[in-house]
Amino acid sequence: MSFRRRGLTSALALSAAAGAALPASAEAVFNRIASFATPLNMAEGEDKSRASSAEIIAANEDGTLLIYSDSPLGVIGLIDITDPKSPQPLGNIDVGGEPTTTQIIGNFAYAAVNTSESYANPSGKLVTIDLSTRAVVGECDLGGQPDSVARAKDGSFLAIAIENERDEDVNDGALPQMPAGYLVKLPVAEGAADCAALQKIDVTGLAAYGAEDPEPEYVDVNTAGEIVLTMQENNHIVVVGADGAISANFSAGTVDLDGIDTKKDGKLDFTGSMQGVTREPDGVKWIGTDHFVTANEGDWEGGSRGFTIWAKDGTVVYESGASLEREIAALGHYPDKRNKKGVEIESVEVAQFGGDTLLFVVSERASVVAVYNINDPAAPELLQILPSGISPEGIVAIPSRNLLVTANEVDLREDGGAPAHVMIFERAEGTAAYPTLTSAGTDPLVGWVALSGLAADPVEAGKLYAVSDSFLSGQPSIYTIDATQTPAKITGATVVTRGKDAAQKLDLEGIAADGEGGFWLANEGDAAKLVPHAVLHVDADGKIDQEIGLPVELLSGQKRFGLEGISVAGNTLWMAVQREWGDDPKGMVKLLAYDLEAEEWSAVHYPLETPTDGAWMGLSELTIAGDWMYIVERDNQIADRAAVKKLYRVKMADLAPAKLGETLPVVVKEEVRDFIPDLKVTNGYVLDKVEGFTIDASGTGYVVTDNDGVDDSSGETLFWSIGKVE
């Protein structure tokens, strides 16, 4: 499988995403053009802090209206995308229960709604909404708990998966757990669902596992009126003919996986394997009338992590295995905390764009969408991997407008994170703005996440180094980056070691080249976890050969938010302390100096910006170039709450550090750059952690964000250049 890696890093990527002139040889690519936060659909006077979501999404026939299911609020949300670069809220419609799926036929929306009082007594309904009046105009009792809904291409009927899902807390979620699920075929005429003509299609007795308790998961309908149905927990697939009779059914089978990470051990090692893993398909879409593709989520027995293209008689035409997951890992999106189950392929979409049949594969846990050309279903070609919001669930293609839309379900505002989002992508000639950093092509594959500091090679322009923070506790690493490539390329990784083993108790937050092939590293401590605040020196092979602990005068007031960034000026190491410690005045943090010859500590105070209510302000990087010390200062806020992500500088000549315990002089800072406009260029929400900054041998500045190991994060890493730093 080939992967056309077209993304750019640096200033060129940012300008391309912003609409700069395109080269004559430009190809059609998808780029994100807008993001819509679901709380925007709440009305004035509502408590907008309530959790909301965007799960399954659909578009009207002219592609100017989106509707999505929002189960936490019990509503269907509407978005006007007449101008897709400026989506507008149209409000929410209460549907009297938990909506699971939405579809549109003509001027009517249809929402499957779960009204179950318990797992043992499931119930649900189909709600019809007149989109011109935004009123509920009809309801059909479905007799059970619905999941997916699909529409016939001619709008003549709806297919509804009645799952009657199991209780995962009963008997470890094993089947059977009655009542059984089934498939509904519901005629539609002139906008009205014909409840009296509802057809229940029995799918019991088909699957090898849980035959008496089928749990239909996802449905799709082709142009011939045939329905394909997945039963994830049963690991089974059913095809129903246009006459409503079952025409084929077969096991989804198993897949062997090679080149995967199989252990949840704080390190990324893609040399493992799993054999005979059940596919457990979730989403499914027809490819014409003879093939369909399944998203193999593997959420129960766990770990299939791919997709399969089938002939409708059950013949496997193509199996992705772990190939997509490895491409995802190369972009820094591998969710190590979900190691057994991997990236969890959730849903798929198929559409014609121009003369090409494109397949879109959604990874829920990696928060990305892969784009394949499947003109030949037996030989998919990976074209792009797009960044989505946190946990994409639903997806809809709008080829008539060259648009693709994802619904991202997780709302993390209660924990200080981002809200759920709907994200809009446009296909046009140009350059892919994402990824900005990749390790693709390394052998063995270099896995990476959570980059927390940057440094430049003292001699070679464009050669940089980065460190990973404590997320990779079993594999603290120094990554070598070639920033001259587009996207920038991680070419290798060196594990930091004590003796022969990966060093423990490290949270690396800063790196500086020592000019002799080795590095100085800043380790952020945490007394509660017995992790020391310290400065480490490693040789070119990553072996720790010197450790410098902080003095007692500092540690007496220590807090968890410690060293962030380190740089070298002559015989002095300079380090930033992220936040105020016990002996600091409010709004002042220390810049620490350590004289390597005298082995003495001193410091100055750095004045922080005033944070907004509920936020904190701190430092996340320090680097020295020429006559200046450059410092990244940021708040801990994300998305629309982000206020300060800035680069400041201080004159080296003005730094006159005092001994610890004495009154520390306060430095004068000047603003160099506001990073928030940079963070908005890719049209996602503003990321919170600008963690790395450095200036290379040619005077070019580079910035990187920390993706938190894809844990309660979209996994996006933005790496870019700010050009020459004067």
Side-chain angles (χ1 to χ4, degrees), residues 10 64 86 154 184 217 341 346 348 497 559 570 616 662 671:
S10 77
T64 60
S86 181
D154 63 3
V184 161
E217 186 80 21
K341 297 180 181 180
E346 176 74 18
V348 286
T497 59
K559 293 187 178 180
W616 56 254
E662 297 180 356
E671 183 176 327

Side-chain angles (χ1 to χ4, degrees), residues 287-372:
I287 305 169
T289 56
D290 295 324
H291 300 87
F292 53 80
V293 57
T294 57
N296 303 328
E297 184 178 17
D299 190 35
W300 188 16
E301 292 298 323
S304 52
R305 68 191 74 199
F307 65 92
T308 307
I309 296 177
W310 309 78
K312 66 181 179 183
D313 65 359
T315 302
V316 173
V317 174
Y318 175 80
E319 170 57 52
S320 72
S323 62
L324 175 55
E325 181 175 85
R326 288 176 61 84
E327 296 285 2
I328 289 170
L331 307 189
H333 278 260
Y334 185 77
D336 190 56
K337 284 193 174 181
R338 300 283 304 181
N339 220 335
K340 180 183 177 184
K341 297 180 181 180
V343 295
E344 288 193 29
I345 304 303
E346 176 74 18
S347 56
V348 286
E349 172 70 308
V350 175
Q352 288 286 134
F353 281 82
D356 294 322
T357 302
L358 300 186
L359 166 64
F360 305 92
V361 183
V362 175
S363 168
E364 179 182 11
R365 298 297 176 176
S367 296
V368 296
V369 178
V371 184
Y372 288 83

Side-chain angles (χ1 to χ4, degrees), residues 620-635:
S620 58
E621 181 65 289
L622 178 153
T623 191
I624 295 171
D627 297 331
W628 299 91
M629 175 185 290
Y630 294 85
I631 297 163
V632 175
E633 183 178 348
R634 66 171 181 87
D635 58 19

Side-chain angles (χ1 to χ4, degrees), residues 9-33:
T9 61
S10 77
L12 180 55
L14 298 178
S15 64
L22 303 174
S25 61
E27 298 183 31
V29 297
F30 286 92
N31 277 317
R32 185 169 48 202
I33 58 172

Side-chain angles (χ1 to χ4, degrees), residues 52-55 72 346 364 390-393 407-411 420-421:
S52 67
S53 182
E55 295 162 294
E346 176 74 18
E364 179 182 11
I390 302 172
S391 295
E393 179 86 7
N408 304 276
E409 66 176 339
V410 173
D411 185 337
H421 278 80

Side-chain angles (χ1 to χ4, degrees), residues 9 33 94 119 124 187 232 261 288 336 343 348 360 409 447 481 491 496 510 512 581 585 622 683:
T9 61
I33 58 172
D94 192 300
Y119 291 104
Q232 182 176 9
D261 190 359
D336 190 56
V343 295
V348 286
F360 305 92
E409 66 176 339
I481 299 173
T491 58
V496 176
W581 279 16
L622 178 153
N683 297 308

